[in-house]
Amino acid sequence: MEASTEHAIARLTELYRLMARIRAFEEVALAAHAAGELPGYLHPSIGQEAVAAGVCSVLRRDDRITSTHRGHGHALAKGAAVRGMMRELFGRAGGVCRGKGGSMHIADFSVGMLGANGVVAGGIPIAVGAAQGLRLLGCDAIVACFFGDGAINRGPFLEGLNWAALYRLPVLFVCEDNAVAAFTAACSVTAGPGAVARAESCGVAAESVDGNDVEAVAEAAARLVARVRRGDGPHLLHARTYRLLGHTSTDQAAWRDPAEVAAAKGRDPIARARQRLLAAGVAETVLDAILAEARAEMEAARADALAAPWPDAAEAWEDVQDIGAETMEQA
Amino acid sequence: MDAALAPPPAAVEPITLVEATRRAVAQEMRRDASVWVLGEDVARGGIFGQYRGLIEEFGPERIVSTPISEATIMGAGLGAALVGTRPIIEMRIFDFALCAMDELVNQIAKIRYMFGGQAKPAVVIRAPHGLWRSSAAQHSQSLETWFAHLPGVVVAVPATPADAAGLLVAAIRSDDPVLFFDPKALFAATGPVPSAIDPLPFGVARHEQWGDDLTLVCWSSIVPDCVRAAEALARDGVGVDLIDLRTLWPWDEAAVLASAARTRRLLVVHEAVRAGGFGGEILARVVERLGPGALKAARRLGAPRLPVPFSPPLEDAMRVTEAKILAAAKSLLAA
Ligand SMILES: Cc1ncc(C[n+]2csc(CCOP(=O)(O)OP(=O)(O)O)c2C)c(N)n1
Ligand SMILES: [Mg+2]
């Protein structure tokens, strides 16, 4: 086997593992939610793992990302610790945000993950500012900014494109086009041809990619990240994918066209990567072991979270502000 | 030492409030290379001259004139703070900051908390606020109470050049996000400011004058009107204990409680609308702390619940004035 082919197989195997871990994390978290173990609700990204995995696989550890309400995959792909994330979803002590954020506000600054966001398009201004700050500090790290196809109808998208282009900031905009914005087909509320055309209108070079083909995502992201890093200014990657589940863990998505969902399942990014690996001669047992390991890792994280203590009530008063913070006694 | 022989206080010279803030920013930008300014028209000095000449010294990478994109000015400031810089976010006029409420209220004020203390958003948001003759309803608002109500931010409302400079230096050095309300109407007011500006502590009021008959609490643009009213009362032999809070969150509860306990007459004056204003919080706190019988009389004086009108006689009809402050004080003294 040629070295380059071998390398490609090894790389795809790692992407497969990463996608499998993201899927397993969410499946386990959804099961925990259904079992009443986990407060609140979740925004699953099942079916979209290739975008997070492909893009983050070409980033450096000191590169930053901003994420969305559907951000488990982004955080895991950037290297956030699984147990800290799972405990956060459970609202337990030892959560990566000490139980103050939950699923929708996962952040792990130690790996450059500057935060999920409960506000659609909320991460875009933060991403361009982070890029500006990094440049001011003389650092060559870049920022990848994830947002959905619904976010392109909010003002910060236009502002952020213009801003990043104006100052030639090191930002890779990543539009995760999963065809829906909550319960509405995104195309039914979006005028014109969409994210790529809007980016190009601001002078931001953009391209579309099959977002369920993890190798294609990684290849496109690698190319664009290289340009962004060498100072060519912001770029936009438009990744076409599909949200296989409902908007949240409480939405059974019964309102969706079953034929559309069935067709999308046939394009499942994990199944496609698996087919490719099998065709390249990787043994089925190897791939099954990857799935089993991912599952076991996440089940162990679930058990750890369930056994973890709740945060001390006094912590509710911590980390508001240094100056003028109210104390528990004042309440 | 004989006072006549004492060296003049060389470090102190009267300058305008706007110049005081300009010097504060320049001083901090010289001290710390991670401090920078972003906002509309700041490269030409800002619309009030708050940044005049700074582009020459610090260049366009640190004095960044931006598009008219308030949401992104606010949000980019936050993003830049998250990677370790200290941005001064210039909002031009407070009313335009309302276009950036998601970035301020949902993001800046909450990110430290939501993320369990992983990041402190060390930003200063400068928002020139308040009445400014015939600027009408969208360029005159005083909504500082909204932000005193918002967990996660510090609220500064200075009224003198020295206080503005000292609080701005403190704001720039603070790891907490500080909402700094420049008093537009007082930008031209003059006062002594030391040439080396030390940070002022937040939450420490300034006693403008001491007195035993009436406690008058105020802040920001209305302070000079309160001073004149107190001077008029002094001519009638009434001693006003005049407290300029200087910061609204935290606010100097101890100073107000001590004064109110002594004078037993409390008047809070603000330019903002009275209903739901911070004067209500102060009165409520005094009653909670000193008990319902501690005061002989108490009152809030603020604007009626109206948008700010354009025409001078209409604006005068609704704004708090020296005459209205005097009348309110006299009604309290008669009680
Ligand atoms: C500013 C704002 N408006 C509305 C919502 C409620 N909301 C949450 S997710 C969502 C849909 C977002 O669609 P998209 O950006 O395509 O992301 P996706 O959910 O598909 O990942 C909406 C409307 C919100 N969180 N923020
Ligand atoms: Mg979508």
Side-chain angles (χ1 to χ4, degrees):
Chain A
M1 201 186 285
E2 265 184 60
S4 64
T5 322
E6 211 173 304
H7 180 252
I9 291 171
R11 242 189 91 64
L12 182 55
T13 305
E14 282 319 302
L15 289 168
Y16 180 75
R17 185 190 311 281
L18 180 51
M19 290 193 294
R21 290 177 65 237
I22 296 170
R23 172 98 27 122
F25 180 89
E26 290 197 328
E27 283 177 348
V28 166
L30 286 168
H33 178 258
E37 295 169 11
L38 182 156
Y41 53 90
L42 308 167
H43 292 90
S45 66
I46 286 177
Q48 308 178 191
E49 296 88 347
V51 185
V55 171
C56 291
S57 72
V58 304
L59 297 177
R60 295 193 323 219
R61 188 182 168 94
D62 69 337
D63 288 335
R64 312 299 206 272
I65 66 168
T66 62
S67 173
T68 69
H69 54 286
R70 209 176 294 290
H72 307 136
H74 308 140
L76 284 166
K78 193 67 178 64
V82 167
R83 292 199 176 193
M85 277 182 64
M86 193 67 90
R87 284 190 181 202
E88 189 59 35
L89 266 55
F90 277 69
R92 301 298 175 115
V96 69
C97 301
R98 305 174 69 200
K100 299 250 183 75
S103 160
M104 205 159 48
H105 305 295
I106 293 272
D108 188 346
F109 280 60
S110 70
V111 295
M113 198 308 191
L114 300 186
N117 211 302
V119 176
V120 168
I124 297 176
I126 296 172
V128 300
Q132 208 157 4
L134 288 168
R135 181 157 71 196
L136 195 65
L137 296 172
C139 171
D140 75 338
I142 74 152
V143 182
C145 170
F146 291 94
F147 53 89
D149 47 336
I152 72 169
N153 291 325
R154 285 210 62 230
F157 178 59
L158 173 67
E159 289 192 7
L161 283 175
N162 179 63
W163 187 290
L166 188 68
Y167 301 113
R168 284 180 78 84
L169 295 174
V171 179
L172 178 66
F173 294 102
V174 183
C175 178
E176 272 180 315
D177 182 350
N178 61 4
V180 275
F183 306 101
T184 300
C187 63
S188 73
V189 289
T190 304
V196 168
R198 291 184 188 185
E200 285 169 344
S201 78
C202 290
V204 175
E207 59 182 76
S208 281
V209 68
D210 177 349
N212 281 17
D213 178 342
V214 72
E215 285 184 295
V217 173
E219 184 275 325
R223 220 164 1 85
L224 300 187
V225 163
R227 286 190 215 151
V228 168
R229 204 183 302 283
R230 74 168 183 240
D232 289 357
H235 286 65
L236 182 138
L237 182 63
H238 170 244
R240 290 182 311 272
T241 180
Y242 193 80
R243 190 190 77 204
L244 284 172
L245 300 187
H247 174 46
T248 66
S249 47
T250 50
D251 168 25
Q252 297 310 312
W255 49 278
R256 292 250 286 253
D257 174 7
E260 181 187 293
V261 178
K265 280 193 173 137
R267 300 191 302 272
D268 184 311
I270 299 181
R272 281 171 70 184
R274 184 182 177 90
Q275 281 310 318
R276 222 172 269 172
L277 287 166
L278 289 172
V282 178
E284 191 145 30
T285 51
V286 171
L287 299 177
D288 286 346
I290 288 175
L291 296 183
E293 278 164 24
R295 190 82 197 182
E297 179 190 10
M298 302 311 163
E299 286 294 359
R302 176 188 184 177
D304 169 74
L306 206 51
W310 293 103
D312 194 274
E315 288 182 36
W317 273 261
E318 290 174 11
D319 279 320
V320 178
Q321 55 195 110
D322 292 331
I323 303 154
E326 283 195 345
T327 61
M328 204 172 173
E329 294 70 43
Q330 281 171 318
Chain B
M1 197 191 306
D2 186 332
L5 296 176
V12 178
E13 46 163 325
I15 55 171
T16 61
L17 190 147
V18 71
E19 172 64 9
T21 66
R22 196 192 70 83
R23 290 189 192 177
V25 171
Q27 170 186 301
E28 293 308 292
M29 288 186 73
R30 278 176 209 129
R31 190 186 58 79
D32 181 348
S34 74
V35 177
W36 61 296
V37 179
L38 70 163
E40 297 154 18
D41 287 319
V42 296
R44 70 169 286 280
I47 61 168
F48 299 102
Q50 316 94 302
Y51 307 102
R52 186 172 293 136
L54 298 191
I55 184 111
E56 281 80 20
E57 182 173 353
F58 301 106
E61 295 281 314
R62 292 178 68 198
I63 301 291
V64 180
S65 271
T66 68
I68 306 161
S69 300
E70 284 75 15
T72 299
I73 297 170
M74 191 77 84
L78 169 60
L82 294 183
V83 299
T85 71
R86 292 186 168 274
I88 299 170
I89 300 169
E90 173 57 54
M91 276 289 131
R92 190 182 192 107
I93 290 195
F94 162 75
D95 311 63
F96 309 141
L98 297 173
C99 300
M101 280 304 105
D102 172 54
E103 288 69 23
L104 175 58
V105 177
N106 283 324
Q107 315 288 347
I108 288 175
K110 297 184 172 55
I111 239 167
R112 174 172 172 190
Y113 193 78
M114 289 191 303
F115 296 166
Q118 292 184 66
K120 293 183 178 181
V123 298
V124 182
I125 298 132
R126 285 187 73 176
H129 81 154
L131 293 172
W132 199 41
R133 198 47 156 176
S134 287
S135 294
Q138 296 173 338
H139 289 62
S140 303
Q141 293 173 88
S142 294
L143 294 177
E144 66 273 19
T145 307
W146 287 14
F147 304 96
H149 194 65
L150 174 67
V153 298
V154 171
V155 180
V157 281
T160 68
D163 288 352
L167 288 171
L168 189 50
V169 166
I172 293 166
R173 296 184 191 180
S174 158
D175 285 344
D176 283 336
V178 178
L179 204 47
F180 185 92
F181 286 102
D182 293 275
K184 283 211 287 298
L186 302 181
F187 266 143
T190 55
V193 176
S195 57
I197 304 162
D198 287 328
L200 275 174
F202 297 107
V204 179
R206 183 174 56 84
H207 250 97
E208 176 73 39
Q209 68 171 59
W210 298 82
D212 294 325
D213 301 319
L214 170 73
T215 300
L216 199 169
V217 178
C218 56
W219 56 87
S220 196
S221 305
I222 207 68
V223 169
D225 300 87
C226 292
V227 171
R228 284 192 299 276
E231 284 166 358
L233 288 165
R235 288 193 287 275
D236 292 344
V238 175
V240 176
D241 213 39
L242 180 50
I243 296 174
D244 173 1
L245 282 183
R246 304 198 285 191
T247 62
L248 223 51
W249 199 272
W251 64 282
D252 196 339
E253 204 177 294
V256 174
L257 289 175
S259 175
R262 191 158 46 78
T263 69
R264 304 189 66 199
R265 288 187 163 84
L266 174 60
L267 174 61
V268 183
V269 178
H270 51 64
E271 185 178 288
V273 167
R274 184 188 62 237
F278 204 72
E281 172 69 17
I282 293 171
L283 254 61
R285 207 65 186 148
V286 169
V287 170
E288 278 177 352
R289 285 294 155 109
L290 300 183
L295 299 179
K296 289 193 195 130
R299 195 171 157 185
R300 298 162 299 156
L301 184 64
R305 195 167 174 279
L306 303 172
V308 175
F310 167 74
S311 174
L314 301 183
E315 196 186 79
D316 286 342
M318 59 82 69
R319 73 186 300 169
V320 175
T321 59
E322 182 189 333
K324 290 178 190 172
I325 299 166
L326 258 178
K330 285 180 176 162
S331 77
L332 285 182
L333 290 161

